[in-house]
Amino acid sequence: MAARSALTRRSVLGLAAAGLAASMLAAPSPAHAGPGPAGPAQARPLGVEAKLPAPTGPHRIGTVSTRLVDTTRHDPWVKSVPYREVMVSVWYPAAGKKGGGGHRLAPYMTPGAAERWNAKAPHGIPKDAIDFAAMRTHAREGAPADTSGGRRPVLLYAAGANDPRTWGTSVVEELASRGYVVVTIDHTYEAPGVQFPDGSVKDDAPLIKAFEEAQRKEEVPALLKKVVDVRVADSKFVMDRLGSLPHGLSKAVDQKRVGMLGQSAGGIAAAETMYEDGRVKAGLNMDGTLENNPEPNGTNLTPVAEHGLTGPFLLMGRQGSDRTTEPSWRAFWSHSTGWKRDLTLRGAKHQAYTDLAALLPQAGADREVMEENVGTVDPDRAIAAERAYATSFFDRWLRGQDNHLLDGPSGRYPEVEFAG
C-alpha cells in the first residue's frame, strides 16, 4: 500500500508532463462494470453544483451524444468484444430563440460516468466535493443546428489519459460558440466511466490491469504506445462517421476542414492522428509529450516526433516545458516543415489546460492544492488564454481568418510566452 501511495504522489507531482502514465498510476476505479445494464441508481453526492465559465462567442450552442460502433475491429482492451464502441458528444452552433426553445441545458456528465469520476477524487478534487451529475453545461440538449452559415469546420477533441471526454468542456463550448462543430470522444475502457444509451457503464479496469502488468514486466513504453494507437484508431473511425452524425448534424459539417486538439495524451493523439491521416488539416497539443515514456527523456519517440508534420501545428506548454526543455517537442520541431508555434502558459501546471482550472476553486481547494495541480496562473486567465489561442489558431487555418494573435507576444495575454 505504501508503494502504491508513493506512485500516486509521483503521478501527481512528477509524471504529469508525460500525459499518459500519470493518470494510470492513480488509484483504480470501482469494480469493472460489464456489458449489461447498470445497477440500482446510487444517491448523488451532496457536493457543490459547480459551474463552468460561459462561452463568449456569438452563437448559442447545442449538443447531442451518440454511440458509434466499429464492426471492423475487436475491442483492443477486451478482446472478447468483437467490435469497438465509443461514445461521442457533438457540440455545435444552435438555432432557435434565446432561452433554449424548450431544450434543457445538457448535463456535464451522465450519472454513471459522474459516479466513477467522483470516486477517483480527480486531480485534487476531494471525493463528493462536486456533484458532477448535477452540473449543467451552457449547451441546449438536442437543440436544432444553425445551418444558416452553411457547412462548418469540425474539430475533434481528445481529453487526457484516463480522463473523460467532458474534461475540456470549457474550451469545447467556446469553440462551438465561435462557429465550430466539435466532437468529443470517450475512449472506452480507458476513460474512468463511459455510460452508453442502454444504461451500461464501462470503466477503466481493463486499462488499469494492463498497466499494472506492464509495470511488472517493465514494458510500460509498449503499453503507452498502445494507448496512443487506440486513440488514433478511434479518432480515424470518428472521422469516418462524420457523414452520418445524428440529429442532421452531418449536413452541418465540412469534412474538408477538420482539425484536432487535445490536452496531455489527447494532445499526443492530435499530433499522431494528423501525422497518420491527411483529413486532419491543423492540430493543437496542450502539454502532451510526444514520446512513450513514463518520464520524458527523448527516447521512444512517437512517429510524429521522429518525422514531423507538413501542416500547421500549435504546441502549448506549461511553465518550464517547451521545445527547449522537452526532448520530444525539440525533435518534433526540428523535423516539422509546416507552420508551427510553441507557446508557454506562464505559471501553469499540467491541468491548467482542463476544466480543473474552473472547478478546483469551487471545490474549496487551498492554495497548495491549486498550485500543485493548476499552478500559480490565475485560473480565469488560463481559461481565457486557452480559448483565445485555440480559436485564433483554428480560425487561421480552417477559415482563413487571421487576427494575428499568433504572430508574437500580446499585451492582452501577458501570461502567454512564445518559446525562443
Side-chain angles (χ1 to χ4, degrees), residues 333 351 365 404:
W333 192 269
Q351 289 293 323
H404 300 288

Side-chain angles (χ1 to χ4, degrees), residues 11 22 48 55 79 95 97 103 126 130 135 158-159 175 198 211 225 229 235 273 280-281 309 313 327 373 380 391 398:
S11 74
V48 130
K79 290 295 187 182
K97 300 178 180 179
H103 297 273
I130 290 178
M135 278 182 62
L175 289 163
D198 66 356
F211 187 75
K225 180 181 184 301
D229 289 346
S235 300
T273 303
V280 180
K281 305 302 183 185
L309 291 169
F313 201 84
N373 290 277
D380 292 336
T391 300
L398 297 182

Side-chain angles (χ1 to χ4, degrees), residues 115-188:
E115 179 185 354
R116 284 154 179 78
W117 189 232
N118 174 63
K120 288 177 71 71
H123 306 300
I125 296 179
K127 184 179 179 181
D128 296 347
I130 290 178
D131 190 341
F132 292 105
M135 278 182 62
R136 288 294 177 266
T137 67
H138 299 91
R140 297 287 173 174
E141 198 166 32
D146 179 1
T147 57
S148 61
R151 290 185 178 271
R152 301 181 183 278
V154 58
L155 303 174
L156 305 186
Y157 175 83
N162 211 214
D163 288 343
R165 71 184 188 271
T166 54
W167 203 227
T169 298
S170 58
V171 70
V172 167
E173 287 193 325
E174 178 70 11
L175 289 163
S177 79
R178 296 285 174 178
Y180 291 88
V181 176
V182 189
V183 184
T184 60
I185 308 169
D186 257 339
H187 301 283
T188 312

Side-chain angles (χ1 to χ4, degrees), residues 353-388:
Y353 289 108
T354 73
D355 289 344
L356 191 70
L359 299 181
L360 199 54
Q362 298 178 68
D366 59 24
R367 180 177 176 180
E368 181 180 358
V369 173
M370 283 294 300
E371 291 186 358
E372 183 177 293
N373 290 277
V374 174
T376 57
V377 64
D378 179 85
D380 292 336
R381 295 294 302 169
I383 294 167
E386 176 191 11
R387 287 173 159 185

Side-chain angles (χ1 to χ4, degrees), residues 142-349:
D146 179 1
T147 57
S148 61
R151 290 185 178 271
R152 301 181 183 278
V154 58
L155 303 174
L156 305 186
Y157 175 83
N162 211 214
D163 288 343
R165 71 184 188 271
T166 54
W167 203 227
T169 298
S170 58
V171 70
V172 167
E173 287 193 325
E174 178 70 11
L175 289 163
S177 79
R178 296 285 174 178
Y180 291 88
V181 176
V182 189
V183 184
T184 60
I185 308 169
D186 257 339
H187 301 283
T188 312
Y189 299 117
E190 182 201 316
V194 184
Q195 185 164 346
F196 288 89
D198 66 356
S200 65
V201 181
K202 275 74 172 180
D203 68 20
D204 57 1
L207 178 66
I208 297 299
K209 180 180 178 181
F211 187 75
E212 291 173 344
E213 183 177 349
Q215 282 185 298
R216 288 194 299 271
K217 294 181 177 180
E218 298 184 347
E219 296 176 349
V220 171
L223 187 278
L224 300 183
K225 180 181 184 301
K226 179 177 178 179
V227 170
V228 174
D229 289 346
V230 170
R231 284 169 161 255
V232 170
D234 287 347
S235 300
K236 290 179 178 179
F237 167 61
V238 170
M239 283 190 284
D240 291 342
R241 298 295 296 273
L242 290 177
S244 57
L245 291 174
H247 205 58
L249 288 167
S250 59
K251 297 179 180 178
V253 302
D254 184 348
Q255 296 186 59
K256 294 182 179 179
R257 291 187 292 165
V258 178
M260 186 168 177
L261 72 159
Q263 185 264 349
S264 193
I268 309 172
E272 194 61 31
T273 303
M274 185 171 171
Y275 174 73
E276 294 188 23
D277 196 312
R279 287 176 292 183
V280 180
K281 305 302 183 185
L284 166 55
N285 174 1
M286 294 177 282
D287 208 35
T289 187
L290 296 174
E291 58 183 287
N292 298 309
N293 283 316
E295 298 183 65
N297 61 15
T299 62
N300 294 306
L301 295 178
T302 59
V304 71
E306 289 184 320
H307 303 290
L309 291 169
T310 59
F313 201 84
L314 177 61
L315 296 166
M316 296 186 72
R318 71 194 186 286
Q319 184 75 45
S321 180
D322 56 37
R323 70 178 188 275
T324 68
T325 60
E326 213 323 314
S328 68
W329 282 23
R330 185 162 55 247
F332 168 81
W333 192 269
S334 67
H335 294 127
S336 292
T337 58
W339 182 99
K340 52 190 182 288
R341 292 289 186 274
D342 181 2
L343 311 181
T344 298
L345 189 55
R346 185 187 294 118
K349 290 287 183 72

